[in-house]
Amino acid sequence: MPDPFYITTPIYYVNDVPHIGSVYTNVACDVMARFARLDGHEVKFLTGTDEHGQKVEKSAKDAGLSPQAFVDKISENFQSLIPLCKLSSDDFIRTTEERHIKGVLYLWNTLVEKGYIYLDSYKGWYSVRDEAFYGESEIKDGKAPTGAPVEWVEEPSYFFKLSAFQEKLLNYYENHPDFIGPVSRRNEVIQFVKSGLTDLSVSRTSFTWGIEVPNDPKHVIYVWLDALTNYLTALGYPEKTEDFKKFWPALHVVGKDILRFHTVYWPAFLMAADLPLPSRIFAHGFWTNEGQKMSKSLKNTIDPVALIETYGLDPVRYFLMREIPFGQDGNFSKAHLVGRLNGDLANDLGNLSQRVLSFIQKNAEGRIPSKGSLNQEDKDLMEMSSNLLSKIRPMILKDQELHRYIEEVWKVIAASNRYVDHQAPWALKKTDPERMETVLYVLCTALQKIGILLQPLLPDSSGKILDQLALPLDKRGFEDLETPLQTGVLLPPPSVIFPKFKEESV
Ligand code: MSP
């Protein structure tokens, strides 16, 4: 039995409606979670909302609502992404939930007991947008390195002895080369930690929307210490639950902007509390919109709901995962999305299944054909599709190279299309009907593997391909990749899986 697999998205700030960035991480994690399940792992896929802190408090005030009423409302928008994007998440955690607050207080008390928290006062820069403290040397032209505005803060504050973890963290990175991915991000983090860690302010007193510090209610716990703990509280921490024992540690997938919190602060908190560290933290890149940085003030954020309504869910999932190598930055362009929908999906994949299955309907009694003896070309295609799983498994579960997984499947789609052209079953129909059956059988087998392996990425359309192959629902797991199709099974009439997108229908 493969190891249990625990994967998390960041929990989203509820200061605003979801945008393409939120959908991006969600879909990427969903692809990995679905893949792991089909591959026999027991999976826990967690997402949720980050509901405390100054930023959320301010947004609630601007909206004229109490913070609680505001977060209840906005959190729903994020929960509605689950059916919209067909996310196979197993839990949705909100940091205002009792189960979470209880765990955060427990972690806080543990850090106090172990001597890692002390009271002092903070004097320095704070960015509400990033919910982050910045050192003097990081401020450029009066702004945070992220470009966010900063304000000068002077207030009593509890500190976490982050400086005590500099060497321990560096040793850990050294001994666990896969802890942070991609490698370029790992190097960045190592540089940052080598440049010196100062103690971290972990409480605020200038607002109240947060979890109160035990025995000192003037302070609320710093929103990042609160938020990061969600990965544990969703497993029932501090209770040593079955889930905790089974699933911790996790693979955390995050955007590159929140790398420092996940690879420096979070492991240090866990080390301080004597808890095992995450198995891996993978940071993906950022999307721009038609070449421009996306921001609320530029009014150019992309609404995922409208996007999915216009192009359909699977094309959007496909585009997000294929357009840019996972881990790198990239650009969102409608023209490219339409290009990929009409090219990769409609022409390559859709056309392959359509031409094979309609040909079978018309010329092979609409049944799974029979397999005669195989020539070298048949064997080559069969072998190519049979080798896919072992090739793509590490790409997804180990390296998070989701784009490479897709490229590998598309190589088989392209090879299958070339095979149809070359074998020309329409000509064989007259000259060698038996050979025609074999060619069609080989193609159905390729479609079976392509359909099964694309389920994590394209849950709807791959389901349709497999329906059209009359593959029973209990024969769609990876363990059935090599189960031969049964000659003679009646196939339903095929229908178009990816209709071409015409501009005027926008
Ligand atoms: N609340 C924190 C995370 C706490 S996790 C313990 C947070 N929330 S966020 O809502 O601001 O961001 C959520 C995710 O969206 C981050 O991983 C961020 O990188 C991602 N994205 C935000 N804008 C993005 C793009 N333009 N492109 C890709 N991802 C982006 O940070």
Side-chain angles (χ1 to χ4, degrees), residues 10-13 19 21-22 24-25 50 224 227-228 230-231 254-258 262 284-287 294:
I11 48 171
Y12 302 95
Y13 284 130
H19 58 77
S22 354
Y24 187 46
T25 329
D50 186 354
W224 271 100
L228 287 160
N230 89 86
Y231 303 131
V254 300
K256 63 176 184 178
D257 56 325
I258 53 175
H262 284 83
H284 64 68
F286 257 52
W287 287 91
M294 262 185 271

